């Protein structure tokens, strides 16, 4: 799947601390922290239902996921001492398991962004179901409402 993501780009939801985005299989969180941050400054707790991210005692993210994840397969890294990258595998990966928000009642995608995410995940599903075809440059035509999309020429 990563090859599809590399070619087609990502659609992220901006937040006050960074951004988050998703694929059929995973949710990704990028948290900007002050340059020079050390991993020992961070306290990150991930469970199947919730997350807490603290930097030097300041809570940056805390809440409950809208759907469960596989916490034992989750991971995080501190990149260049200025950005935390968190990967959360969805417990039920499917094109219909689209998160509208990162946490319950927090960091929600606006309607246009959510529509773009839905379209992209549908194309990702087509790529998964038809591995010999490249859908990275494809678009879904018409008014997309999360169901029954058609590809141009269908």
């Amino acid at each position: 799947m990563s090859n599809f993501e590399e070619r087609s780009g990502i659609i992220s939801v901006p937040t006050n601390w960074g951004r988050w985005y998703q694929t059929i299989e995973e949710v990704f969180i990028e948290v900007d922290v002050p340059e020079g941050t050390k991993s020992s400054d961070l306290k990150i707790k991930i469970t199947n239902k919730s997350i807490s991210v603290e930097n030097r005692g300041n809570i940056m993210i805390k809440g409950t996921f809208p759907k469960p994840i596989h916490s034992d397969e989750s991971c995080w890294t501190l990149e260049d001492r200025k950005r935390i990258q968190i990967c959360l595998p969805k417990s039920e990966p499917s094109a219909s398991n689209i998160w509208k928000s990162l946490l319950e009642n927090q960091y929600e995608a606006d309607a246009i962004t959510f529509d773009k995410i839905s379209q992209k995940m549908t194309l990702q599903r087509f790529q998964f179901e038809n591995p010999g075809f490249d859908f990275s440059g494809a678009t879904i035509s018409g008014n997309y409402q999360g169901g029954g999309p058609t590809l141009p020429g269908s």
Side-chain angles (χ1 to χ4, degrees):
M1 284 302 168
S2 64
N3 199 13
F4 176 80
E5 291 304 313
E6 289 170 11
R7 290 191 314 266
S8 64
I10 60 168
I11 299 168
S12 63
V13 179
T15 67
N16 59 332
W17 41 257
R19 68 183 183 155
W20 70 274
Y21 55 96
Q22 63 187 305
T23 65
I24 287 175
E25 298 169 332
E26 298 163 317
V27 175
F28 298 92
I29 304 171
E30 294 182 356
V31 183
D32 297 322
V33 293
E35 196 162 335
T37 297
K38 300 175 196 168
S39 60
S40 61
D41 297 331
L42 304 173
K43 183 179 178 185
I44 300 174
K45 182 178 181 186
I46 301 170
T47 70
N48 290 351
K49 297 181 181 181
S50 66
I51 187 169
S52 174
V53 177
E54 293 182 33
N55 180 21
R56 298 182 183 139
N58 297 319
I59 297 173
M60 301 184 76
I61 304 171
K62 186 172 186 168
T64 304
F65 298 125
K67 297 182 182 183
I69 61 143
H70 289 298
S71 61
D72 57 339
E73 297 175 19
S74 300
C75 64
W76 66 271
T77 59
L78 178 61
E79 293 188 354
D80 299 327
R81 299 180 73 177
K82 64 181 179 180
R83 179 173 298 120
I84 304 166
Q85 296 268 10
I86 303 171
C87 177
L88 308 168
K90 294 178 179 178
S91 64
E92 298 174 17
S94 73
S96 62
N97 184 5
I98 303 171
W99 292 19
K100 185 157 177 74
S101 63
L102 175 62
L103 303 173
E104 289 181 357
N105 304 313
Q106 296 182 66
Y107 314 117
E108 186 172 316
D110 63 57
I112 293 171
T113 302
F114 184 71
D115 190 59
K116 289 178 183 178
I117 292 168
S118 299
Q119 291 177 24
K120 181 171 175 72
M121 288 180 65
T122 298
L123 288 172
Q124 187 181 17
R125 178 180 56 90
F126 289 155
Q127 179 70 48
F128 181 75
E129 292 172 352
N130 303 282
F133 295 95
D134 180 7
F135 290 93
S136 61
T139 58
I140 296 176
S141 62
N143 207 3
Y144 187 78
Q145 298 297 322
T150 58
L151 293 173
S154 321

